Amino acid sequence: MDAAAHTLVRDGGIQQVEPKAFAVLLELLRHPGELIDRDRLLDAVWGHRHVTPGVLTRAIAQLRTALNDNALHPRYIQTQHALGYRFVGTLEEEPEAVPAESAPDASVEGEPYRPMPHAGTERRLEPRYQAGLWLLAALLLALALAWGARQHRGAPALAVSPSIAVLPFTTLSDDRRDDYFAEGLATEMHSALAGVRGIKVAAWLPPEAIDRKLDMQALGRKLGVATVLDATVRREGQRFRISARLSDTGNGVTLWSRTYERDAAAIFDTQSEIASEVATTLVGVLPDAGEGLRKRLTPTRNFAAFDAYLLGMWQLMKPRSEVAEGEAIASFNNALAQDAKFARAQAGICRGHIWQFIAARSVDALNRATQACDRARQMDPRIGAVQLALGDLYAATGETQKALMHYRAAENDASEKANALVGEAKAHASTGNPELAMRLFTQALELSPGNPLILGRLGYMQYQAGAVQEGITSLAKAVDLDPGNARLWSTYGGMLMASGRNADAIHAFEKSMSIEPLEHVIGNLGLLKYEEGNYREAADLHRKSIALDSDNFELWGNLADALAELPDGAAQARDAYSKAAGMAESFLAHKSDDAMAYSLLAWYRANLGDAAGARESIRRAEALPVGQDEVALRNAGTFAVIGDIPQARLRLQRARAAGIPEARIAGDKALQRAGLANSAGVRRD
């Protein structure tokens, strides 16, 4: 152990330990063989300010892992139950390179101490000896690194700084519908701990993404964390029982555990106590003595309102369809009926309507979202959830600067910072700045590593920027982390389909359908049937998708395309094109930055015989910076329909240059009819 360099070496390999654990070991080494009680160690290392004994337990557990020591048969650190610890190994001191009084207190965190030579006292070697010593030092360093690599080859790097994964809490209630309550408590705990400075919190993963068969060490390696918090929850009437446990993933030791049996109204104090115990075990002193945690975990004092809010968040994060989003909004309204000042519930209503607008392109949903967000702002504009919802609202309507202002305000809430960065990234991507967007996504993933939702949004941004393969890679990681998320599978399948990998796309769509019947998945399966020439089956699938989401103009346009290919479908196709065009015009009146929406409107107008309107819509589509690869392909077909072959060929060149697969060009019916669908793009007369 080198106190000055702040390093610990075992068997030739450097052992990574946190500064506080290092200071504990140094204190034990200064008094070999002597029993040092817990309070003395806590005073020496932490100053004993608002610190629980759990921080010391965790430091000792980390040292035992680093030293390969066994608590039952210790070679180095012996535990004297309920009293303290003593160092029982053989200690050999080396001569100190600098006077003892010049070395800093090892309990101080920061850069390692490096003594500087005093002028005039160093002995200089001749250059040839200096070169020889440098060569010898390099050789010894290489041997040490090689030995360490051999000792640890194949083992992932363990987290050194305080880090934690909050697992979904498990319900033990007789009513299995109480899953939302247990999971909701865990997500609230996750968000609260993410706001504690100095703690790295792993991304939230749903229950189906956690392999409960793994032991703590394996789980820690998979999640990249040093500790794991899990709990069981039983609720009976107006009473609850929570058994929580914090485990060290380095050795599987339980660092802290406690069971709480209380009345329902005490849920907020209980959550705050658990969070404070966990946080102080990980980082020691909390600057505000846990006040920030208590505030974050007490969004209301009304248990019925909180219960309804947890149900709403559970429904919002696991939407099966537009109906489920409506159920979430109803739950948030129920929460507000219990506590009319519950701002986070009002922000939840705003988010639900925004998602309906984005997914279904429903103008009515946008109007409801605007009203809900205004109410949330009036209730409490300071909280991160409200600022995040306002950012999402303005981003959805293309008001980028307003969106960025609210996202930056949301960053002040540490528990919402990763989501705020994602919002900023998407806003910059929409204005044609993918480099800045990528940097912001990287920052978000650093705050929430392995977050499948962030990876999914990153993948979609990459796809829109024309980096289709990179987008597919990001979505592949996302579905691997969260295999039970139907929307991630749907987006993944859509990207595979866009790249011409139809067989893989069908597999992804089938995975999505096995989880939830999403309208977009049904619609995409209809598009595949259309490409195969099964127009009647395609039309049936599009009708099913419209039954789930009748406000989406793109679904109506897809139905019109299929009907237009049927011998008896011309009149129905015209009606569907007319409906799609009217809905698209209404949508674009509220969101004028959607290039693909303009491109689709041009297609509908062309098929309705409005060539001038089609050209104007194409002009607007091509004036926007995002998604021009797909826009170019769609516009090529539109120009083909109105008979402008030179302009169609020009758009085909752009589509090919952007990487649109040749199979998709060959499968476009409008281009086929115009003789433009061959690989060379030359008319086949």
Side-chain angles (χ1 to χ4, degrees):
M1 184 175 183
D2 188 335
H6 216 270
T7 55
L8 176 64
V9 178
R10 175 173 64 81
D11 293 335
I14 294 177
Q15 305 300 305
Q16 300 289 347
V17 295
E18 296 170 17
K20 295 297 187 186
F22 189 92
V24 168
L25 181 56
L26 188 61
E27 188 68 20
L28 292 171
L29 291 178
R30 285 172 174 160
H31 309 278
E34 179 183 338
L35 175 65
I36 304 181
D37 64 49
R38 286 173 172 266
D39 285 343
R40 181 173 159 191
L41 281 170
L42 289 168
D43 281 334
V45 177
W46 283 275
H48 221 147
R49 294 167 297 164
H50 308 295
V51 177
T52 65
V55 297
L56 180 57
T57 304
R58 180 174 182 271
I60 294 294
Q62 187 181 114
L63 290 173
R64 286 206 170 103
T65 299
L67 297 171
N68 195 23
D69 202 14
N70 188 316
L72 297 178
H73 305 286
R75 291 187 296 160
Y76 302 113
I77 300 175
Q78 181 186 71
T79 302
Q80 193 76 22
H81 183 64
L83 295 177
Y85 304 92
R86 63 164 58 88
F87 183 79
V88 294
T90 302
L91 185 64
E92 297 178 1
E93 294 192 23
E94 293 183 357
E96 295 196 39
V98 294
E101 63 270 18
S102 67
D105 183 354
S107 67
V108 177
E109 296 184 61
E111 290 296 315
Y113 174 72
R114 295 181 176 88
M116 299 295 292
H118 296 284
T121 62
E122 66 270 27
R123 295 178 58 190
R124 297 189 178 276
L125 296 175
E126 294 181 27
R128 66 178 185 274
Y129 293 122
Q130 290 182 10
L133 285 176
W134 278 114
L135 181 60
L136 178 60
L139 178 60
L140 290 173
L141 177 60
L143 288 171
L145 292 173
W147 175 262
R150 187 178 70 179
Q151 294 297 310
H152 299 284
R153 188 176 290 119
L158 295 177
V160 177
S161 60
S163 55
I164 187 171
V166 180
L167 301 187
F169 294 173
T170 304
T171 183
L172 299 180
S173 302
D174 295 333
D175 188 349
R176 300 305 299 177
R177 289 175 296 180
D178 260 3
D179 283 350
Y180 78 87
F181 184 73
E183 283 185 42
L185 293 181
T187 57
E188 290 290 294
M189 183 69 65
H190 176 275
S191 296
L193 291 173
V196 178
R197 186 179 299 276
I199 300 180
K200 181 179 178 181
V201 182
W204 170 259
L205 292 176
E208 56 270 19
I210 302 294
D211 187 353
R212 295 282 184 173
K213 296 190 293 294
L214 295 176
D215 60 28
M216 281 298 165
Q217 290 94 326
L219 194 59
R221 287 193 294 271
K222 181 177 180 179
L223 300 177
V225 293
T227 59
V228 165
L229 174 67
D230 63 341
T232 60
V233 181
R234 178 184 290 277
R235 186 163 62 151
E236 296 178 353
Q238 292 300 306
R239 297 279 297 175
F240 67 83
R241 175 189 174 99
I242 299 178
S243 295
R245 175 183 63 171
L246 180 68
S247 303
D248 190 310
T249 61
N251 51 24
V253 170
T254 298
L255 300 174
W256 168 86
S257 66
R258 187 174 173 185
T259 297
Y260 303 82
E261 288 194 55
R262 294 178 176 174
D263 291 330
I267 191 65
F268 310 108
D269 294 336
T270 303
Q271 283 274 88
S272 299
E273 287 178 34
I274 294 173
S276 293
E277 289 282 1
V278 169
T280 52
T281 299
L282 294 178
V283 297
V285 178
L286 293 177
D288 61 354
E291 183 58 32
L293 288 171
R294 284 189 288 275
K295 185 176 180 180
R296 176 62 180 77
L297 289 165
T298 314
T300 176
R301 271 290 174 185
N302 187 304
F303 176 77
F306 184 62
D307 187 36
Y309 169 77
L310 293 183
L311 177 58
M313 290 301 296
W314 185 79
Q315 292 165 327
L316 194 63
M317 298 308 295
K318 296 187 176 184
R320 294 176 295 279
S321 65
E322 188 179 354
V323 173
E325 287 164 359
E327 291 173 350
I329 291 168
S331 295
F332 292 135
N333 275 318
N334 185 18
L336 286 167
Q338 307 295 327
D339 179 357
K341 297 181 180 180
F342 196 171
R344 276 167 55 188
Q346 186 63 52
I349 294 174
C350 175
R351 291 176 65 191
H353 287 310
I354 291 169
W355 289 6
Q356 287 178 339
F357 170 65
I358 294 171
R361 290 172 165 168
S362 166
V363 175
D364 287 342
L366 176 61
N367 292 333
R368 292 191 295 269
T370 302
Q371 294 172 4
C373 283
D374 283 343
R375 292 194 192 102
R377 183 182 357 221
Q378 292 167 11
M379 286 181 181
D380 191 348
R382 299 167 299 174
I383 64 174
V386 171
Q387 289 296 329
L388 190 65
L390 288 165
D392 288 345
L393 175 67
Y394 289 118
T397 57
E399 299 176 81
T400 305
Q401 293 307 314
K402 286 185 178 180
L404 288 170
M405 178 183 70
H406 289 290
Y407 285 138
R408 288 166 186 150
E411 279 192 57
N412 295 325
D413 183 341
S415 63
E416 298 287 6
K417 186 172 182 178
N419 291 325
L421 289 169
V422 170
E424 290 177 54
K426 291 166 63 180
H428 285 297
S430 71
T431 57
N433 195 343
E435 294 82 8
L436 177 55
M438 190 66 205
R439 289 200 295 273
L440 290 165
F441 268 116
T442 301
Q443 292 177 37
L445 285 169
E446 287 173 354
L447 287 172
S448 186
N451 189 316
L453 296 180
I454 295 178
L455 284 168
R457 289 165 183 154
L458 168 62
Y460 190 69
M461 185 273 290
Q462 291 168 321
Y463 163 76
Q464 287 187 311
V468 177
Q469 190 52 54
E470 290 84 349
I472 289 173
T473 300
S474 296
L475 260 297
K477 293 177 183 176
V479 296
D480 183 57
L481 287 164
D482 188 2
N485 190 312
R487 292 190 182 273
L488 287 177
W489 279 109
S490 171
T491 307
Y492 183 40
M495 289 188 187
L496 292 168
M497 183 176 163
S499 66
R501 295 167 55 182
N502 287 358
D504 293 334
I506 289 172
H507 172 72
F509 292 146
E510 288 174 345
K511 289 284 291 184
S512 180
M513 289 291 290
S514 69
I515 302 166
E516 301 169 10
L518 297 174
E519 63 276 3
H520 287 90
V521 177
I522 298 171
N524 280 330
L525 289 171
L527 292 176
L528 290 172
K529 291 296 180 182
Y530 177 87
E531 287 186 14
E532 294 171 1
N534 296 327
Y535 305 122
R536 204 167 295 279
E537 191 173 349
D540 288 341
L541 285 167
H542 291 315
R543 287 190 182 98
K544 290 178 181 177
S545 68
I546 288 171
L548 291 171
D549 183 4
S550 60
D551 293 332
N552 191 323
F553 64 81
E554 191 170 353
L555 301 181
W556 283 99
N558 293 340
L559 173 61
D561 291 343
L563 291 170
E565 300 296 331
L566 296 175
D568 56 350
Q572 294 180 65
R574 185 172 183 81
D575 288 343
Y577 279 131
S578 181
K579 190 172 185 66
M583 295 169 70
E585 288 166 358
S586 179
F587 172 81
L588 287 165
H590 293 81
K591 184 171 173 58
S592 59
D593 65 340
D594 192 324
M596 196 61 200
Y598 276 116
S599 187
L600 289 169
L601 176 58
W603 171 253
Y604 306 149
R605 286 174 167 172
N607 281 279
L608 289 167
D610 182 6
R615 290 180 186 276
E616 173 60 19
S617 295
I618 288 174
R619 184 190 67 79
R620 288 176 176 268
E622 293 180 347
L624 294 166
V626 177
Q628 289 300 315
D629 51 350
E630 294 291 331
V631 166
L633 179 60
R634 181 73 281 168
N635 290 347
T638 301
F639 275 121
V641 167
I642 63 178
D644 192 337
I645 301 305
Q647 291 297 325
R649 286 179 177 165
L650 178 61
R651 270 61 181 187
L652 273 182
Q653 290 175 5
R654 293 176 184 173
R656 286 190 172 99
I660 294 292
E662 208 60 48
R664 291 189 59 205
I665 295 173
D668 189 288
K669 306 302 178 185
L671 297 177
Q672 287 175 10
R673 282 189 282 268
L676 298 174
N678 63 318
S679 61
V682 178
R683 185 181 178 91
R684 292 174 293 182
D685 295 319

